[in-house]
């Protein structure tokens, strides 16, 4: 237990030690125990990390100490930090999260970057399939407020959360609707379709490890090979894309070749795959042949 009147610095050192003892620590590339400790304490104190560095000798109240203990106990049990503090930063946005949605991940920012790099008109229609917290849709809209952006999500609780995130980030023009993939956008056409769909094999052993144990399986898994939803999206996107419209998909690092072939077979041109910062194939994309649109 932290002693009464413990300082910010003492609380961080204690939390880092406890997380390391329980092997809730680093993955070999960074000290996640230290990072988790800072994020949790910021959530407890309702402050930004600069505050921790500016006021290391600031004493915590007993209420703050008790709250921090409770947060740390949940983290030691494996609960994702984002669920504990209730938010995750993505792009330039702070997004509320809940157990109804997948937690936005840094590698998904690659999809946003690639979409923004496309030679698109100033005023286009964008569809984000399986929007979750609204991360991709809101990131794109934050950079191009003239774009008309719709995010669809089958889970109604996720739709409410994405709508809240749009309001909190002052992006009220982004529309979020409940839809089982394309079911609620019939007869509409888009210039850009983006998606971070479920793409993990249903029996993948990684589902019993780390944060994904607590995330909704419906947002993670897609059939025996992880490609059921991606096959559906690619096959049906041809009916919802305008002339030379683009489709961008995030996927697993061993799925790029299959997805590229699926895009080509369904009439997409300029097919390519881009790697994330770890050098892993992460996003595949293609432009619809105008003859099929």
């Amino acid at each position: 237990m932290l002693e009464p009147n413990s300082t910010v610095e003492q609380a961080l050192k204690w939390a880092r030690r406890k997380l390391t003892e329980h092997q809730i620590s680093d993955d070999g590339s960074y000290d996640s125990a230290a990072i988790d400790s800072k994020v949790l304490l910021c959530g407890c104190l309702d402050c930004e990390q600069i505050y921790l560095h500016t006021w290391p000798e600031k004493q915590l109240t007993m209420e703050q100490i008790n709250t921090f203990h409770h947060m740390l106990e949940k983290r030691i049990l494996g609960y994702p930090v984002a669920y504990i503090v209730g938010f995750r930063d993505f792009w330039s946005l702070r997004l509320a999260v809940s157990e109804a949605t997948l937690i936005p991940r840094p590698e998904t920012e690659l999809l946003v970057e690639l979409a923004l790099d496309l030679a698109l008109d100033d005023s286009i229609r964008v569809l984000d399939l399986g929007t979750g917290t609204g991360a991709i849709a809101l990131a794109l809209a934050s950079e191009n407020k003239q774009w008309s952006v719709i995010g669809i999500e089958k889970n109604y609780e996720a739709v409410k959360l994405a709508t809240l995130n749009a309001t909190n980030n002052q992006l009220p023009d982004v529309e979020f609707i409940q839809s089982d993939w394309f079911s609620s956008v019939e007869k509409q056409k888009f210039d850009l379709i983006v998606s971070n769909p479920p793409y993990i094999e249903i029996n993948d052993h990684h589902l019993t490890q780390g944060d994904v144990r607590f995330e909704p399986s419906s947002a993670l898994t897609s059939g025996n090979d992880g490609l059921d939803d991606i096959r559906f999206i690619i096959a049906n996107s041809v009916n919802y894309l305008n002339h030379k419209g683009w489709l961008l998909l995030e996927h697993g690092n061993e799925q790029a070749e299959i997805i590229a072939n699926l895009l080509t077979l369904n009439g997409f041109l300029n097919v390519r795959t881009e790697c994330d910062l770890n050098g892993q194939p992460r996003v595949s994309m293609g432009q619809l042949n105008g003859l099929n649109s």
Side-chain angles (χ1 to χ4, degrees):
M1 288 283 291
L2 276 173
E3 297 293 329
N5 300 320
S6 291
T7 65
V8 164
E9 184 177 22
Q10 290 169 335
L12 288 175
K13 288 181 178 178
W14 174 80
R16 182 179 180 182
R17 184 173 66 252
K18 296 295 289 185
L19 291 175
T20 302
E21 287 174 357
H22 288 84
Q23 297 183 338
I24 311 293
S25 56
D26 67 270
D27 65 358
S29 61
Y30 63 93
D31 187 351
S32 62
I35 294 172
D36 289 355
S37 299
K38 290 177 182 178
V39 174
L40 291 173
L41 190 55
C42 284
C44 173
L45 301 180
D46 191 22
C47 69
E48 300 297 327
Q49 289 195 28
I50 187 64
Y51 178 91
L52 306 182
H53 299 290
T54 306
W55 303 101
E57 299 305 317
K58 181 73 173 179
Q59 291 184 345
L60 306 184
T61 67
M62 280 308 301
E63 181 180 1
Q64 290 169 337
I65 288 173
N66 290 334
T67 299
F68 192 45
H69 271 285
H70 178 67
M71 288 179 160
L72 202 67
E73 287 170 358
K74 294 191 75 172
R75 183 58 184 147
I76 287 171
L77 290 174
Y79 282 87
V81 170
Y83 287 162
I84 298 171
V85 299
F87 68 86
R88 170 59 64 85
D89 291 334
F90 179 87
W91 201 249
S92 60
L93 313 169
R94 173 151 292 182
L95 303 174
V97 300
S98 77
E99 295 186 23
T101 66
L102 194 69
I103 299 168
R105 287 165 167 76
E107 52 264 33
T108 300
E109 293 189 357
L110 173 63
L111 190 152
V112 176
E113 293 173 3
L114 292 170
L116 294 173
D117 284 342
L118 293 172
L120 299 170
D121 292 339
D122 291 337
S123 181
I124 65 169
R125 302 193 73 231
V126 182
L127 179 64
D128 178 18
L129 293 169
T131 195
T133 61
I136 297 171
L138 293 173
L140 292 174
S142 72
E143 299 292 338
N144 294 279
K145 291 187 170 60
Q146 68 274 32
W147 286 5
S148 174
V149 182
I150 296 175
I152 66 98
E153 175 61 55
K154 186 176 182 179
N155 184 314
Y156 179 63
E157 292 302 316
V159 173
K160 291 196 299 182
L161 185 66
T163 303
L164 172 65
N165 282 325
T167 300
N168 290 347
N169 286 279
Q170 300 181 331
L171 295 165
D173 292 335
V174 180
E175 182 182 5
F176 293 104
I177 58 177
Q178 186 174 14
S179 178
D180 186 359
W181 295 129
F182 297 97
S183 65
S184 295
V185 291
E186 290 184 6
K187 300 181 180 179
Q188 295 189 52
K189 292 279 188 173
F190 300 88
D191 305 288
L192 172 64
I193 296 177
V194 293
S195 184
N196 176 18
Y199 55 74
I200 299 176
E201 296 91 336
I202 199 167
N203 293 318
D204 193 305
H205 70 279
H206 292 102
L207 295 170
T208 63
Q209 303 170 6
D211 288 358
V212 296
R213 291 174 294 165
F214 300 88
E215 295 179 283
S217 60
S218 60
L220 293 164
T221 61
S222 183
N224 292 329
D225 64 357
L227 291 168
D228 284 2
D229 289 310
I230 287 177
R231 288 191 187 93
F232 181 87
I233 290 170
I234 292 175
N236 285 274
S237 287
V238 300
N239 300 315
Y240 296 90
L241 280 168
N242 282 323
H243 173 66
K244 294 187 177 179
W246 285 91
L247 172 63
L248 277 68
L249 295 165
E250 181 173 330
H251 53 72
N253 57 17
E254 296 181 352
Q255 298 172 328
E257 184 176 354
I258 295 175
I259 293 171
N261 288 335
L262 287 170
L263 287 167
T264 300
L265 288 171
N266 282 274
F268 286 87
L269 305 176
N270 302 318
V271 174
R272 71 178 193 269
T273 298
E274 298 289 342
C275 294
D276 59 25
L277 292 176
N278 294 316
Q280 299 295 329
R282 184 60 56 195
V283 175
S284 290
M285 55 198 297
Q287 188 175 28
L288 185 65
N289 184 335
L291 296 176
N292 292 348
S293 62

